Amino acid sequence: MDLNTANTAIKVAIETANSLGVKFCIAVMDSGVNLVAFSRMDGGRVGTIDVAMKKAKTSALFGLESGLLGTMTLPGKPVYGLEHSNGGLITFPGGVPIKNGSGEFIGSIGVSGGTVEDDLVVAMAAAEAVADL
């Protein structure tokens, strides 16, 4: 994940967000879970900054869409309490792995600010745009 790729993901995420009429925070991390780019849209809520970053972190650490971990982290399930590891994770939708055109995992994007469904739509659009580069 380089800065140009991360900025492309942010650009597409903002375009998608604008089409939804919602203000988001967007975080892009590399495969080593390092923040590469971040954007808080004008009017984006301050509380969503940390959530977007933790969604990206969760996805980067596990190579999964963050929401897939949700049902597995419930009481009595295989990884109950996982969200308390690694300095705090988010196990609801909005964190998406990013792969390059060759299908290699290069990082993740985390989006927060709308419903979790909208967060996922925005994150998926950005990840798909990067895969098409």
Side-chain angles (χ1 to χ4, degrees):
M1 176 70 65
D2 59 25
L3 184 58
N4 185 53
T5 302
N7 283 335
T8 297
I10 297 256
K11 178 181 177 280
V12 171
I14 290 172
E15 290 169 356
T16 305
N18 285 333
S19 74
L20 296 172
V22 181
K23 307 300 182 187
F24 293 90
C25 286
I26 305 149
V28 178
M29 294 191 173
D30 64 18
S31 59
V33 198
N34 301 294
L35 185 66
V36 178
F38 182 87
S39 181
R40 177 176 160 234
M41 294 175 68
D42 292 342
R45 292 174 296 203
V46 174
T48 62
I49 294 169
D50 185 56
V51 176
M53 292 175 65
K54 285 185 177 169
K55 286 181 181 185
K57 176 182 173 181
T58 301
S59 185
L61 283 169
F62 296 98
L64 298 170
E65 191 274 304
S66 57
L68 294 176
L69 293 168
T71 57
M72 296 189 300
T73 59
L74 296 172
K77 297 298 179 178
V79 290
Y80 173 62
L82 179 73
E83 66 274 14
H84 303 291
S85 71
N86 295 289
L89 303 175
I90 298 288
T91 59
F92 46 85
V96 174
I98 296 176
K99 296 181 180 182
N100 64 17
S102 302
E104 299 166 319
F105 174 73
I106 59 169
S108 64
I109 184 167
V111 176
S112 183
T115 64
V116 292
E117 294 83 7
D118 285 347
D119 293 353
L120 183 57
V121 165
V122 172
M124 291 294 295
E128 289 168 7
V130 168
D132 290 339
L133 292 179

